[in-house]
Amino acid sequence: MVIHKNMHVEKVRLMKARKQKEIIESAIKLFAENGFTNTSIQEIVNDCGISKGAFYNYFPSKEALHIAIFEYYFEQMRARTLEIDAEQLPPREKLVKLLNVPFEQLAQQKDFFMVYMREQSFTINKELREVMGKTQFEMLTWYEKNLKKVYGDKVNGYTGDIIMLIEGIRSSYLAAILIQNSQIDATLVPTFIMNRIEDMVSSFENGEEPIMKNNLLDLFTNQSCSSLNHHEKASSLLADMKEQLEVMNFSDAQKEGLTGVLAFLNSELQKPSIEKYAFQGMLANLKTVKEFDIYREKLASLLAIELL
């Protein structure tokens, strides 16, 4: 009896998820054509063939749907990024593939990128700003981690300027391809960006001083995600670490131990005030995982903790 009940609950959940996906896809098409403000719920339900009353069974408002759209597509980009990170590739080749993710997604989800470009300059509400800011924070963290894998100590103190270069070129080419309908071969852009990174690293090796003096990740998150406090940013980093751990080549026992460390750290972040020495000690347990080095540094910086 319990098994049948669980199967029914799962069936209902899957049916709801499918319908939510249909509504999201209808809405993103209409938002891309007409803009968020000029698209009514009635137009959305007409397009996906449901009643207005049924719409509210899936989303409490048009604003909630708008946020769900961004979460849905950002999750697809995150999944693709994790997939690349799990591949056994030389660091430089992996970074090029990472740089290609937005262009790869653009080819598949042009309507979403049209809406995303509009929202870059005008976000609808605080919650959407948080979603966009969190995603940007994650992407910049991925860039920094992989830059250090490719260049090691050569980029210490310079990653901020390099990421600014990446973001500037990437955004400009995405806009040119999407908004201006430029005849640009998007498959060439990631390698082009990688070559510019090489030029920049050579320039720094020859003594050029960096322009970015502050932590770039703090700058971006303060601008686009200012309502997130340091504990929330740290929780986001721990969530990324947990996702990466799931695809790492460790034994079940090792994964269980590391998962326990991450769970402890996350539980500390839920407290009004963390026990810094306990947090510091548990962070030290992650030193054996080289892929976590950049995350340990960011956590220590966010929470004003010295790494052991």
Side-chain angles (χ1 to χ4, degrees), residues 238 241 261 264-266 268-269 273-288 295-297 299-301 303-308:
L238 289 174
M241 293 166 76
V261 173
F264 173 85
L265 294 173
N266 196 52
E268 279 294 306
L269 292 173
S273 177
I274 68 169
E275 294 287 341
K276 288 198 173 184
Y277 290 112
F279 204 95
Q280 184 184 49
M282 293 302 278
L283 271 183
N285 290 329
L286 300 175
K287 284 197 296 186
T288 56
Y295 292 99
R296 291 176 63 247
E297 291 171 11
L299 287 166
S301 175
L303 302 171
I305 292 173
E306 184 177 347
L307 287 175
L308 297 177

Side-chain angles (χ1 to χ4, degrees), residues 43-302:
E43 289 172 311
I44 295 169
V45 299
N46 288 346
D47 189 77
C48 59
I50 61 172
S51 69
K52 199 169 183 178
F55 171 89
Y56 291 106
N57 291 329
Y58 301 100
F59 300 100
S61 65
K62 189 172 76 167
E63 287 73 19
L65 168 60
H66 198 200
I67 292 164
I69 286 169
F70 277 79
E71 291 175 332
Y72 174 76
Y73 283 105
F74 285 154
E75 183 54 41
Q76 290 188 29
M77 293 182 72
R78 182 183 295 113
R80 178 60 180 142
T81 301
L82 284 169
E83 183 182 306
I84 292 169
D85 196 60
E87 294 178 9
Q88 300 300 312
L89 296 171
R92 190 183 190 282
E93 185 178 341
K94 184 175 287 190
L95 180 53
V96 171
K97 289 192 75 170
L98 178 64
L99 292 169
N100 190 47
V101 169
F103 298 96
E104 185 180 87
Q105 296 294 309
L106 173 60
Q108 302 169 15
Q109 302 161 358
K110 187 174 181 180
D111 285 344
F112 168 72
F113 273 85
M114 182 65 76
V115 174
Y116 178 69
M117 286 292 183
R118 287 174 177 168
E119 300 308 326
Q120 288 282 61
S121 57
F122 178 70
T123 50
I124 300 301
N125 57 37
K126 172 185 170 183
E127 190 173 353
L128 182 54
R129 283 197 300 273
E130 290 181 2
V131 170
M132 295 173 72
K134 178 178 180 292
T135 301
Q136 188 173 41
F137 181 73
E138 290 174 357
M139 184 57 71
L140 298 184
T141 300
W142 280 97
Y143 285 151
E144 184 167 51
K145 182 187 77 169
N146 283 279
L147 283 167
K148 289 190 174 182
K149 283 186 177 180
V150 175
Y151 298 105
D153 293 341
K154 289 181 182 179
V155 294
N156 283 349
Y158 305 122
T159 54
D161 290 279
I162 296 171
I163 293 172
M164 287 287 279
L165 175 83
I166 293 171
E167 282 292 286
I169 297 177
R170 180 190 65 82
S171 298
S172 296
Y173 275 107
L174 283 172
I177 294 167
L178 183 64
I179 299 173
Q180 301 172 21
N181 294 315
S182 298
Q183 298 302 308
I184 295 172
D185 185 349
T187 63
L188 301 177
V189 179
T191 300
F192 177 80
I193 295 175
M194 193 70 223
N195 290 338
R196 301 294 72 74
I197 293 172
E198 297 278 3
D199 295 339
M200 204 169 186
V201 172
S202 295
S203 180
F204 287 136
E205 284 187 295
N206 290 330
E208 184 174 356
E209 289 294 316
I211 295 174
M212 293 293 302
K213 303 299 183 184
N214 299 319
N215 187 299
L216 180 66
L217 294 181
D218 285 345
L219 173 66
F220 268 84
T221 49
N222 285 340
Q223 287 179 342
S224 59
C225 197
S226 58
S227 58
L228 289 179
N229 62 36
H230 285 183
H231 283 208
E232 290 170 320
K233 293 176 188 176
S235 289
S236 175
L237 288 173
L238 289 174
D240 290 346
M241 293 166 76
K242 186 174 184 297
E243 286 186 352
Q244 285 196 57
L245 178 60
E246 290 172 0
V247 297
M248 287 178 179
N249 189 26
F250 289 132
S251 68
D252 290 343
Q254 287 174 307
K255 284 187 177 182
E256 184 177 351
L258 291 168
T259 299
V261 173
L262 295 177
F264 173 85
L265 294 173
N266 196 52
S267 67
E268 279 294 306
L269 292 173
Q270 310 313 310
K271 299 177 181 178
S273 177
I274 68 169
E275 294 287 341
K276 288 198 173 184
Y277 290 112
F279 204 95
Q280 184 184 49
M282 293 302 278
L283 271 183
N285 290 329
L286 300 175
K287 284 197 296 186
T288 56
V289 185
K290 191 167 182 60
E291 291 83 353
F292 285 169
D293 284 352
I294 184 65
Y295 292 99
R296 291 176 63 247
E297 291 171 11
K298 294 306 170 192
L299 287 166
S301 175
L302 282 170

